Amino acid sequence: MEVNVSNNNYIITPLTPKLDERETQRLKEEVLAAGEMPVGIDLSYVKECTVDFIDTVINTKNISLFNIPSDIFALLTFMNIDKNINLYVSELDFLASKRRIVKRNFTLLAD
């Protein structure tokens, strides 16, 4: 796991392809070490995750995810987790706090 602190942002990069219970516990410890700083988790090396990771993301404040693989992104949007946490395409978007990924559900209304 790689940790980088820049511009009052705490960026964690898991270097494992699977975020299982053990890796999620390590991730949780790093998030707690960040204190009040915004935490960004770079998922560029991650291919799959377990329900432990999803529970941790839901129950922890100040977490943002970026570089999300399409399978994990589909899971997060299907579970409506994108409504509770910030999802970004890249690290630059996270650092600037701009261009958040938001799933919008549009419907046509007939008069």
Side-chain angles (χ1 to χ4, degrees):
M1 190 168 304
E2 182 179 309
V3 178
N4 185 11
V5 179
S6 67
N7 300 333
N8 266 349
N9 291 303
Y10 204 83
I11 299 172
I12 303 170
T13 306
L15 300 175
T16 177
K18 183 176 182 180
L19 288 174
D20 56 5
E21 184 179 1
R22 179 180 175 275
E23 291 298 321
T24 301
Q25 184 61 35
R26 290 181 59 205
L27 186 68
K28 193 184 301 186
E29 291 169 4
E30 288 295 333
V31 169
L32 291 175
E36 294 296 318
M37 284 193 285
V39 176
I41 300 175
D42 182 0
L43 298 178
S44 57
Y45 294 107
V46 177
K47 302 291 183 227
E48 59 183 295
C49 65
T50 62
V51 72
D52 297 317
F53 173 73
I54 294 172
D55 286 340
T56 299
V57 167
I58 291 171
N59 296 323
T60 308
K61 304 230 184 238
N62 293 333
I63 284 188
S64 300
L65 303 177
F66 56 90
N67 292 333
I68 309 165
S70 60
D71 295 341
I72 296 174
F73 179 72
L75 181 65
L76 294 174
T77 55
F78 180 73
M79 296 176 70
N80 289 325
I81 296 173
D82 60 326
K83 308 290 190 258
N84 301 328
I85 63 169
N86 296 326
L87 305 177
Y88 297 101
V89 173
S90 68
E91 183 177 349
L92 295 175
D93 293 342
F94 165 70
L95 293 173
S97 294
K98 294 184 179 179
R99 295 178 291 279
R100 180 178 170 210
I101 300 172
V102 179
K103 178 184 168 203
R104 303 192 193 286
N105 293 325
F106 293 107
T107 58
L108 295 175
L109 301 175
D111 286 331

